[in-house]
Structures are given as structure tokens and as C-alpha cells.
Amino acid sequence: MEGDVVKSGMPLYWRVCLINGLVFVVGTAALALAPVTVSATVLVSEAVVLVVGLLGIVVLNSVLLRTSLAPLDRLIRLMDTVDLQRPGRRLPEAGSGAVRQLVRGFNAMLERLETERGRSNAKALAAQEAERRRIARELHDEIGQGLTAVLLALKQLSSGVPPAAQKDLQEVQETARATLDEVRSVARRLRPGVLEDLGLQSALAALATEFSEHGMHVRRITSPGLPALGEERELVIYRVAQEALTNAARHAQARSVHLSLQRQGPAVVLAVDDDGTGLRGAEEGTGIRGMRERALLIGAELTVGQGGSGTSVRLTVPLESR
């Protein structure tokens, strides 16, 4: 409620100017009408002097206030647009005295907020990955092994089942086998074992193959001889690619996706372009915000926008200087 009043009210600069202008008008009128300071009958020359003096005072006062309060106006605009998912924006420490201290304090507060947010995001994402690994392990060890045992039991029973029931038994077997495949697929998505065992490029290839098998053509291009990025950065790149492909298939109804991982100067760039419906002015959902959080964790830059005919996702991961 309070923020609405501030946004809809008169700016601070003009409120101060109006108040000071009224004070100057009242003072000038009193000076013009008081016989002790001006002649009893105000002469035309005296009135001209008073008007010119009043205008000069108002103009000078406006200039001084403009210079003094301009940092406050910039601070208010920055406070309205600040986004911790796009860090680094700071206000120049212009002005002097209390205004300069206020700007410096606000910049320091932003620095602390971004630092604490980065730490909490790192802990949250680490906990999320640990939970993903736990669920994937339980799916593989508990449910997967259970379904495998069911399939073996059904296979043993098939020899003693009457011919009339063979068709029903085969349908049950197919259902159990399809369920086992789906459980294994979910476990792979939760815990990319191929990323740990074979590396990022093989993991992206497996990811592209998985989505291609579900009806969306994924064309993949990777540069040979990419530098080692480290476990944390490779995991972020994999998760961003996974989320971008999921959004393209689930929300954009894309039929074709171009996935590339290439080195561009001092950075490695992941690009995912689809031919789906695009963003269409919609606000960023939890998936895109999650990608931004992961990008911030490794100091990367994520851009999501309208591509040629669909959505374009770019993750720019700077290489560590040696």
C-alpha cells in the first residue's frame, strides 16, 4: 500500500520546489505590502524588481535542489527495477553528505544481498542434486529391481498358463516392461550417470537421443577439443540444456531443436533454439528462473528470448583464466 502511494504521488523534487516556491511567494508578497520594507505604494519599478528577484530565487533554488536530489531519484528508479537474478547493477556514488552516504549504503546492501543469495542458492542447488541422486538410487534399486523380479516371475509362469490366458499374460508383461523402462528413464533424468562416467558431450548426446525418441528432432553440434570445465560447470550446462529441451517439448510444442555447445573466445556457449510457439510475451516461469539461478552459481550469463521462429536460450560460461 505504501509503495503504491509513493509511485503515484508527486516526485520528491517537484514537491520540494512547490513548497519552496510558495514560501518565496508569500515572503515576496509580505515584502511588497509591508510599508517598513518597501514604499507605501508599490511602484512599477519596485514590482519589476520583486518579480525578477522572485524568479531568480525560484530558478536558483530549483537548480540547487535538482543537483542535490538527482541521486535520490536515480536510487528510487534502481530500487524499482533491481533484480537479484541479474546482479551487478550499482548506483554511482554522486552527490555529497547524507545523499552520498545513502547511495553508498544502498550499494553495500545490494552487495550483501547478492552474496547471501549466491550462498543460499549454492546450498539449495546442492541439496536438490543430492535429493535427485537419492530418489534416482531408490527408483533404480527398489522399484527397478522389484519390476525386474515381476518380469522374471511372469516369464516363468508363462509356460504353465493355458493358451487362452497367454494373451492376457503378455499384456501384463508388456505393461510391466514399459513401466520398468519409464522408471529407468526418470532415474536417468534425475541423476545423469552418463555425465559422471563419460563426460558432458556424451551426456548431451544421450539427452538429445532421449528427446528425439519422444518425437522431437534434436540436431546437436559440439566443438571438438572443448576445455575441461569442472564438475560443477558441466552439471549446470547439462541441467540448463535439459530444462530448455523440456520446455521446448512440453510448453512450446516444438518439432525441431538445434542444440550446440561451442567455444567462443574466452567462453563456452550452450545454445538451444527451437521452432515452437515462442515466449509470446509470457512471464518467466519457475523453469527459466531455475536456469538463471544455476547460471549465477558459476558466474555464467543466461539469455532467453525470441529466436527466429521459437525460443532461443543462450548460456555463456566464462573460462577460468590460467
Side-chain angles (χ1 to χ4, degrees):
M1 180 67 69
E2 184 177 353
D4 294 339
V5 173
V6 173
K7 289 181 181 180
S8 61
M10 183 181 296
L12 179 62
Y13 167 74
W14 293 113
R15 290 207 305 268
V16 174
C17 284
L18 179 61
I19 292 173
N20 287 340
L22 290 175
V23 172
F24 294 148
V25 169
V26 171
T28 303
L31 180 63
L33 299 176
V36 295
T37 56
V38 187
S39 37
T41 302
V42 180
L43 302 176
V44 175
S45 58
E46 294 174 337
V48 171
V49 171
L50 290 175
V51 171
V52 172
L54 174 61
L55 291 176
I57 291 174
V58 171
V59 170
L60 178 62
N61 183 65
S62 300
V63 171
L64 293 176
L65 284 175
R66 181 76 173 184
T67 303
S68 300
L69 298 180
L72 285 180
D73 292 334
R74 292 196 297 269
L75 178 62
I76 293 172
R77 289 195 296 270
L78 179 61
M79 291 174 67
D80 288 337
T81 59
V82 68
D83 185 356
L84 293 181
Q85 287 192 328
R86 297 175 174 84
R89 297 187 62 187
R90 297 293 184 271
L91 196 65
E93 295 182 4
S96 60
V99 174
R100 185 181 182 87
Q101 293 179 1
L102 179 62
V103 172
R104 183 180 300 150
F106 179 75
N107 288 339
M109 181 190 68
L110 277 183
E111 186 72 28
R112 291 194 301 270
L113 285 175
E114 291 173 0
T115 301
E116 291 300 324
R117 184 180 178 87
R119 291 174 181 172
S120 62
N121 285 343
K123 293 179 180 178
L125 292 175
Q128 185 185 79
E129 290 297 331
E131 185 67 10
R132 285 172 179 260
R133 287 193 294 269
R134 184 189 68 80
I135 296 175
R137 185 171 56 251
E138 291 184 359
L139 285 174
H140 182 272
D141 296 343
E142 302 294 335
I143 301 178
Q145 291 181 6
L147 287 172
T148 302
V150 169
L151 282 172
L152 292 175
L154 290 173
K155 185 177 181 180
Q156 292 177 354
L157 289 174
S158 62
S159 59
V161 173
Q166 284 288 342
K167 182 178 180 180
D168 294 335
L169 182 61
Q170 290 177 357
E171 291 179 356
V172 173
Q173 286 178 310
E174 291 300 324
T175 301
R177 187 174 291 108
T179 303
L180 178 60
D181 292 340
E182 184 63 27
V183 168
R184 289 173 175 171
S185 176
V186 172
R188 285 195 302 269
R189 288 196 295 269
L190 288 173
R191 180 179 179 269
V194 66
L195 177 62
E196 300 174 1
D197 299 335
L198 301 177
L200 179 59
Q201 295 198 37
S202 298
L204 292 178
L207 192 64
T209 301
E210 179 183 349
F211 277 90
S212 296
E213 291 175 350
H214 289 80
M216 185 176 68
H217 176 65
V218 180
R219 180 169 174 260
R220 182 180 58 89
I221 297 178
T222 56
S223 295
L226 288 175
L229 298 173
E231 180 180 349
E232 187 178 38
R233 293 186 175 195
E234 288 186 352
L235 180 59
V236 169
I237 292 174
Y238 178 85
R239 290 301 187 197
V240 170
Q242 185 182 45
E243 182 64 32
L245 290 173
T246 301
N247 289 340
R250 186 174 299 171
H251 303 297
Q253 292 85 42
R255 293 174 297 177
S256 177
V257 178
H258 180 268
L259 170 67
S260 67
L261 181 67
Q262 298 177 318
R263 180 168 181 172
Q264 297 181 6
V268 171
V269 179
L270 170 74
V272 183
D273 301 294
D274 63 61
D275 62 352
T277 56
L279 298 175
R280 293 177 295 182
E283 295 184 358
E284 294 185 354
T286 56
I288 296 179
R289 288 196 296 269
M291 289 192 288
R292 292 197 184 281
E293 298 287 357
R294 291 183 181 278
L296 288 176
L297 185 62
I298 60 172
E301 180 183 357
L302 179 79
T303 57
V304 181
Q306 191 72 23
S309 59
T311 304
S312 176
V313 177
R314 293 287 185 281
L315 178 68
T316 304
V317 182
L319 298 174
E320 295 180 354
S321 58
R322 298 186 181 275

